[in-house]
Amino acid sequence: MNIEDLTPTERRLWEAFPKGESVDLSSGDAAYDDIGQADRWGHERVVRAEVLVALLVGAVEAEPGQVAAVRLAGARVTGSLNLGHADVSVPLALTSCSFDEAPHLYWASMNSVHLMRCRLPGLIASGTRVDGHLWLEGSRITGGLWLDGANITGILNMSGVQLSNPGGDALLADRLTVEANVYCDQGFTSNGEVRLPGARIGGQLILRGARLQNPSGPALYASRLDVAANVFCDGGFTAEGEVRLRGASVGGYLSFVGARLSAPGRTALNADDLTVETDIYCSDGFTATGAVSFSGARVTGQLSLRDARLRHDQGTALSLQRVQAEELLLRTAEPIQGTADLSYARINLLRDDAASWPERLQLDGLQYETLEPPLTARQRLDWLRRDTDGYAPQPYERLAQTYRSLGLDADGRSVLLAKARDRRKTQGLSRKIIGLMQDGLVGYGYRPFRAASWLIGLLAFGTIVFSLHKPDVLDDGQRPHFNPFFYTLDLILPIGTLGQEMAFAPKGVYQWIANFIVAAGLVLGLTVAAGVTRALSRE
């Protein structure tokens, strides 16, 4: 480019470049300098994009001992800033500048790039490598920001950035690699889809206070995202549209504290198969309208839903199916509106609250070691019976085993008795009749001392009957004195003898009564013995 063709403004920039000096074209009037007023700026603030390209690709060399750089503020950039496949070794720093056309940096090799508080009708940086920071703080970008396949060795700062591409990709960052932190906070907004699938971030991903809007689809699509440290979607984070973190990996903790997600009738948060090395916090005011799913997620620490509000009336509001976590804190601010699916989850410590239980649960296959609080068997049975799939044996067995491990044997037996009774409701008529008899007599074996009561009643019955009708004597020569109480007791005892049964023999209907007492005594006696054995061994 011939220097004689430059405007006075462009000449200032040309001459400042070799020393890396800044050129500020601002007027000092804040209202006039606002980039929204760039169309009103005069020619004295206009710089052609081709001038910037010439400087960046080596048209002018740095002065000895100086670091050349393009540093420009308050300019209106006309034409196409096209650096596609270029090798740029000097920094680019534009502040409060307005672009007429979207810059093209695709597959370029750049030094640090600062486009701060700028207005751009798009930015195409697909496949770009930035050796340093990419700083877009406070910029307004319409038409889409493309960073797919880009590689940034430093920080990606999008704090306060306003992205707008309704119905399209506000941020296209598939397979983006950032070796340090990514900042999308301090007023970051997007109207359109924010895409980060397959992206790798070597530090933290900070979306604190961000506002994402894409009602017709995903507001944040970050499946298979890999973040080495923490992810912050808190501090007033809102998303109108789905948040997808399926298959993502987080090396620290994931915070949705106080976040508000909205995708009515759809999935508000899809974190299926997510891996988190420490904790997940969907707590302290976290609100989701739409389903929240952590199916298959693996959490080394705690998954907290303390004081959360979840609503998805027509389906599963919370899916924790196959989740693996050290601790699950399920004490929501109000009962979950919709079904909570905990089937086949594996939890070491389950902390919940009866006041926050949803009306509909799915618990088959749920494994847990400890309950806090354990609550009474009556309360926990109400919890089990909210299962929408009806009777299944495993939840009862798991609860009973947990009670026994806590030393609450009576509660464990109550749960197993309830299991037998609830199972009876699913059986045919004949089995129901037999089950009713077993329940009434011995509580299916889990109420063995009920059998003792029946034994006492049987003893009293026999004593009365044989007091009124003494049995015949078998041998007059060796006749003991007849005692109806001991005679009935002798019939009941399955082993040993008191000398009464062998000496007297009833006839007719009384013989049938005696045989009934013998049979009933055998069954009831064995039941009592089994119950005593179970109690002594603390089964």
Side-chain angles (χ1 to χ4, degrees):
M1 173 171 284
N2 192 335
I3 193 171
E4 300 299 329
D5 297 332
L6 300 178
T7 66
T9 299
E10 293 168 346
R11 188 184 294 270
R12 284 179 59 190
L13 180 62
W14 195 273
E15 292 173 351
F17 173 79
K19 296 181 180 180
E21 295 177 344
S22 298
V23 174
D24 189 351
L25 305 179
S26 302
S27 67
D29 183 344
Y32 181 66
D33 288 337
D34 184 272
I35 55 176
Q37 303 296 321
D39 294 340
R40 298 172 53 196
W41 294 349
H43 65 278
E44 73 281 359
R45 299 182 65 169
V46 173
V47 175
R48 289 173 293 164
E50 60 185 291
V51 176
L52 300 178
V53 172
L55 292 172
L56 291 168
V57 298
V60 180
E61 294 184 359
E63 289 191 7
Q66 303 292 324
V67 178
V70 173
R71 303 184 190 280
L72 178 63
R76 176 182 175 185
V77 181
T78 62
S80 176
L81 180 64
N82 192 337
L83 291 167
H85 299 281
D87 188 356
V88 179
S89 60
V90 298
L92 171 63
L94 304 180
T95 304
S96 300
C97 292
S98 177
F99 288 78
D100 286 359
E101 299 181 29
H104 289 70
L105 309 180
Y106 54 86
W107 293 103
S109 179
M110 306 288 295
N111 201 283
S112 63
V113 177
H114 287 202
L115 300 175
M116 297 176 61
R117 299 187 298 278
C118 293
R119 185 179 73 172
L120 305 97
L123 175 59
I124 301 172
S126 302
T128 300
R129 176 178 177 82
V130 179
D131 290 320
H133 305 320
L134 176 56
W135 217 269
L136 303 173
E137 184 177 357
S139 292
R140 307 174 193 173
I141 304 174
T142 58
L145 168 58
W146 293 7
L147 294 173
D148 50 310
N151 190 321
I152 301 167
T153 64
I155 293 171
L156 172 57
N157 188 346
M158 294 189 286
S159 297
V161 169
Q162 299 176 32
L163 303 177
S164 181
N165 190 21
D169 296 330
L171 171 62
L172 177 65
D174 302 34
R175 303 176 308 282
L176 168 69
T177 299
V178 180
E179 296 184 14
N181 294 340
V182 174
Y183 295 92
C184 299
D185 57 348
Q186 298 179 16
F188 176 90
T189 63
S190 68
N191 188 347
E193 184 174 342
V194 173
R195 293 183 53 87
L196 289 166
R200 291 182 298 168
I201 299 172
Q204 300 184 123
L205 173 59
I206 302 171
L207 285 151
R208 183 164 284 155
R211 300 178 63 186
L212 313 182
Q213 183 178 10
N214 189 33
S216 61
L220 174 61
Y221 182 25
S223 296
R224 305 180 310 282
L225 171 69
D226 186 353
V227 180
N230 306 316
V231 176
F232 299 95
C233 297
D234 51 17
F237 176 88
T238 63
E240 186 177 348
E242 302 174 34
V243 174
R244 297 184 183 176
L245 296 173
R246 182 163 188 166
S249 176
V250 179
Y253 61 85
L254 172 61
S255 175
F256 277 98
V257 173
R260 302 181 67 86
L261 312 182
S262 178
R266 295 178 291 150
T267 300
L269 174 59
N270 184 342
D272 294 352
D273 301 315
L274 171 71
T275 300
V276 176
E277 290 300 323
T278 55
D279 305 319
I280 298 177
Y281 301 105
C282 294
S283 58
D284 301 302
F286 173 81
T287 302
T289 302
V292 172
S293 179
F294 285 98
S295 296
R298 295 183 298 279
V299 185
T300 303
Q302 180 189 81
L303 171 55
S304 174
L305 287 143
R306 183 186 62 190
D307 292 331
R309 288 178 169 83
L310 309 179
R311 177 179 291 274
H312 187 51
D313 296 326
Q314 303 306 315
T316 300
L318 175 63
S319 176
L320 300 177
Q321 190 179 61
R322 298 178 290 104
V323 161
Q324 298 179 39
E326 180 66 20
E327 179 182 342
L328 173 60
L329 180 52
L330 196 56
R331 295 176 180 172
T332 54
E334 60 186 23
I336 296 170
Q337 304 299 308
T339 302
D341 185 355
L342 281 76
S343 57
Y344 301 100
R346 298 178 65 87
I347 311 295
N348 187 41
L349 172 60
L350 174 57
R351 300 170 62 190
D352 62 358
D353 185 351
S356 64
W357 290 344
E359 290 296 323
R360 304 190 300 274
L361 284 163
Q362 290 184 315
L363 300 171
D364 191 22
L366 171 63
Q367 298 283 341
Y368 47 88
E369 297 300 322
T370 305
L371 292 168
E372 184 183 315
L375 301 179
T376 65
R378 182 185 298 274
Q379 290 172 302
R380 284 294 174 186
L381 286 170
D382 175 55
W383 179 58
L384 295 186
R385 287 164 179 160
R386 297 179 184 221
D387 197 318
T388 58
D389 292 333
Y391 170 79
Q394 187 276 338
Y396 294 86
E397 295 285 350
R398 178 69 263 172
L399 180 58
Q401 185 176 345
T402 299
Y403 275 135
R404 289 196 296 267
S405 69
L406 295 172
L408 303 173
D409 294 345
D411 286 303
R413 290 193 296 271
S414 295
V415 170
L416 294 176
L417 175 58
K419 171 195 168 188
R421 288 171 173 171
D422 289 347
R423 178 173 179 241
R424 185 177 71 217
K425 298 174 183 178
T426 67
Q427 297 176 328
L429 180 60
S430 60
R431 287 186 175 271
K432 284 183 178 179
I433 293 173
I434 295 173
L436 284 169
M437 294 175 61
Q438 291 177 319
D439 191 2
L441 289 172
V442 294
Y444 283 100
Y446 298 109
R447 294 288 183 265
F449 296 105
R450 183 181 297 175
S453 300
W454 284 105
L455 277 173
I456 294 172
L458 189 65
L459 180 60
F461 170 72
T463 300
I464 294 171
V465 168
F466 293 115
S467 294
L468 298 175
H469 190 280
K470 177 181 175 181
D472 293 340
V473 178
L474 291 176
D475 187 349
D476 289 338
Q478 299 180 359
R479 182 180 64 176
H481 177 71
F482 178 76
N483 186 304
F485 174 81
F486 287 107
Y487 178 74
T488 305
L489 184 60
D490 207 0
L491 293 174
I492 291 174
L493 290 175
I495 57 175
T497 179
L498 300 177
Q500 295 280 315
E501 181 183 2
M502 302 298 297
F504 301 96
K507 295 180 180 180
V509 68
Y510 297 102
Q511 183 179 2
W512 285 100
I513 292 175
N515 292 338
F516 168 75
I517 292 174
V518 170
L522 177 63
V523 173
L524 294 173
L526 292 175
T527 302
V528 171
V532 171
T533 301
R534 183 182 295 113
L536 292 175
S537 62
R538 297 186 65 85
E539 288 290 325

